[in-house]
Amino acid sequence: MNSSLDLLDLELLNQSGSPFCLLDMGYSQIFNTCLLEVAIILLLTVLIISGNLVVIFVFHCAPLLHHHTTSAFIQTMAYADLLVGVSCLIPSLSLLHHLKGLDEELTCKVFGYMVSVLKSVSMASLACVSVDRYMAITRPLSYATLVTPCRIRVCILLIWLYSALVFLPSFFGWGKPGYHGDVVEWCAMEWGTKPLFTSFIVALLYVPAAMTVCFTYANIFRICRQHTKEISERRARFSPQESSLGQDGQPQHAPACTDKRYAMVLFRITSVFYLLWLPYILYFLLESAGIYRHPVASFLTTWLAISNSFCNCLIYSLTNSAFRKGLKRLCSFCVQRTVGCLLDGCVPGHSWL
């Protein structure tokens, strides 16, 4: 009942000539816009675009990041997240009244479809990353023949194709895709969720991806723990010097420990992804079932999920040493270019290599 009243108040507010604001606060009569929503969306847009551009550039500057085949999936996620940031310009421009000439229904459907497909690519890529690490640990001898660059490219292509097809029925009126942070009135008032379409999305995307991630990482950490136990038992039988030094006299590091450290980085990325998306998924299910609907919850849960597109940059910079080295190399390049421009007047052909 309260939700219906909230939506009615928003509709009356819009009819009075004021912009459509989901968050009933921060409205500016001077600029005739929803200041709080504009601030949140523009901040996330800038962070997502700049953060993922840094990730993409660092991957090109750090050869060590290409040591694992999962780098292809991580780069796919970075490009998808970058496109999420670019697509977020649509609601930003809409709130600033720069999209008045566009059809609201078409704008809503295109933006909702784009965000849903791009986040589906991220979700499917995380599932593929977990499968890749699982195969690397369970089948180390045959991994190189099973996971080839050609197969990885085919897998990435299938991820994009599958994500595009899953949300395509939303264009034909079957239901509303995974976007609820409505800043256009038609999205909130006219475009409703349907239980059948929601069940379709959950069954074909959310549940398979979540189950794959849970199964693979549970087995990865179980195997790594077992390997660590076996290594400890071996070291207990021999002297520490013999067990810790290799044939060349250098310290010997167990591959299982290295795999576990890398798996932990990927596990953190996956965990943060699902933690930020969990409120949105719950709200999506409750709204589709007709149990709960509120414009503020719709906006906050959606943009909390979208904020995940920036979190991967933070996780990599804090936990991955190869990424930090690549970031330092990128920063060094920028500093050298800046100094070169100041000293040489930005002479064309000035190289940092």
Side-chain angles (χ1 to χ4, degrees):
M1 183 67 181
N2 291 333
S3 301
S4 301
L5 291 175
D6 290 332
L7 291 173
L8 181 61
D9 291 340
L10 287 171
E11 187 175 8
L12 292 174
L13 181 63
N14 187 67
Q15 290 176 354
S16 66
S18 301
F20 181 74
C21 300
L22 280 173
L23 301 179
D24 192 16
M25 59 188 80
Y27 168 65
S28 170
Q29 292 184 348
I30 300 176
F31 299 102
N32 193 32
T33 190
C34 315
L35 286 181
L36 186 57
E37 292 181 34
V38 169
I40 292 174
I41 296 175
L42 283 179
L43 176 63
L44 286 177
T45 301
V46 172
L47 290 177
I48 291 171
I49 293 177
S50 58
N52 284 284
L53 281 176
V54 170
V55 171
I56 292 169
F57 286 137
V58 167
F59 264 94
H60 287 288
C61 294
L64 287 176
L65 289 172
H66 296 277
H67 178 68
H68 294 280
T69 55
T70 50
S71 64
F73 295 110
I74 299 298
Q75 289 183 75
T76 300
M77 290 174 55
Y79 281 109
D81 289 337
L82 176 63
L83 292 176
V84 168
V86 173
S87 65
C88 287
L89 293 172
I90 295 177
S92 302
L93 294 174
S94 176
L95 285 170
L96 295 173
H97 310 290
H98 292 303
L99 298 178
K100 286 185 177 180
L102 295 181
D103 182 22
E104 285 192 356
E105 179 178 350
L106 181 62
T107 303
C108 285
K109 286 186 175 182
V110 169
F111 178 65
Y113 178 77
M114 285 178 59
V115 173
S116 301
V117 169
L118 293 172
K119 299 315 296 179
S120 172
V121 169
S122 295
M123 192 175 294
S125 296
L126 286 173
C128 289
V129 164
S130 66
V131 173
D132 177 85
R133 289 298 88 200
Y134 175 76
M135 293 178 64
I137 292 177
T138 57
R139 299 184 178 181
L141 299 179
S142 59
Y143 174 77
T145 56
L146 291 173
V147 183
T148 62
C150 181
R151 290 179 179 177
I152 291 175
R153 285 192 289 268
V154 171
C155 185
I156 291 173
L157 180 62
L158 290 176
I159 287 173
W160 283 94
L161 183 62
Y162 182 79
S163 300
L165 291 176
V166 164
F167 290 97
L168 194 59
S170 62
F171 270 107
F172 301 100
W174 192 9
K176 187 176 184 179
Y179 168 69
H180 297 80
D182 309 300
V183 294
V184 180
E185 182 183 7
W186 188 89
C187 294
M189 300 297 182
E190 305 294 336
W191 201 13
T193 54
K194 294 184 180 180
L196 186 59
F197 183 68
T198 302
S199 302
F200 173 78
I201 296 297
V202 170
L204 292 186
L205 181 61
Y206 297 154
V207 172
M211 290 183 65
T212 300
V213 167
C214 291
F215 172 80
T216 51
Y217 279 116
N219 281 278
I220 285 172
F221 292 126
R222 178 183 60 81
I223 293 170
C224 287
R225 188 166 54 247
Q226 182 179 353
H227 287 178
T228 304
K229 183 179 178 181
E230 291 174 356
I231 292 170
S232 300
E233 290 176 351
R234 259 193 240 114
R235 286 180 176 175
R237 295 176 189 172
F238 305 99
S239 65
Q241 288 141 355
E242 291 176 357
S243 60
S244 60
L245 296 178
Q247 295 178 353
D248 56 354
Q250 298 297 323
Q252 183 177 318
H253 299 283
C257 297
T258 304
D259 287 336
K260 184 178 180 180
R261 284 195 297 269
Y262 189 68
M264 279 300 299
V265 175
L266 300 173
F267 179 71
R268 291 188 188 104
I269 293 175
T270 307
S271 300
V272 171
F273 181 92
Y274 280 98
L275 284 175
L276 293 177
W277 271 82
L278 184 60
Y280 160 75
I281 294 174
L282 292 176
Y283 178 81
F284 188 26
L285 295 173
L286 292 175
E287 182 183 309
S288 301
I291 298 174
Y292 179 74
R293 185 182 184 186
H294 197 281
V296 175
S298 169
F299 182 88
L300 294 179
T301 55
T302 297
W303 289 97
L304 179 66
I306 291 176
S307 69
N308 172 259
S309 297
F310 172 69
C311 292
N312 292 344
C313 318
L314 294 178
I315 297 173
Y316 259 110
S317 60
L318 293 175
T319 58
N320 193 301
S321 59
F323 184 88
R324 288 196 297 271
K325 291 178 182 178
L327 185 58
K328 290 178 181 178
R329 186 178 179 184
L330 179 62
C331 293
S332 175
F333 163 68
C334 295
V335 170
Q336 289 180 21
R337 289 290 294 177
T338 303
V339 173
C341 285
L342 292 175
L343 296 177
D344 304 332
C346 295
V347 177
H350 180 74
S351 176
W352 66 287
L353 293 176

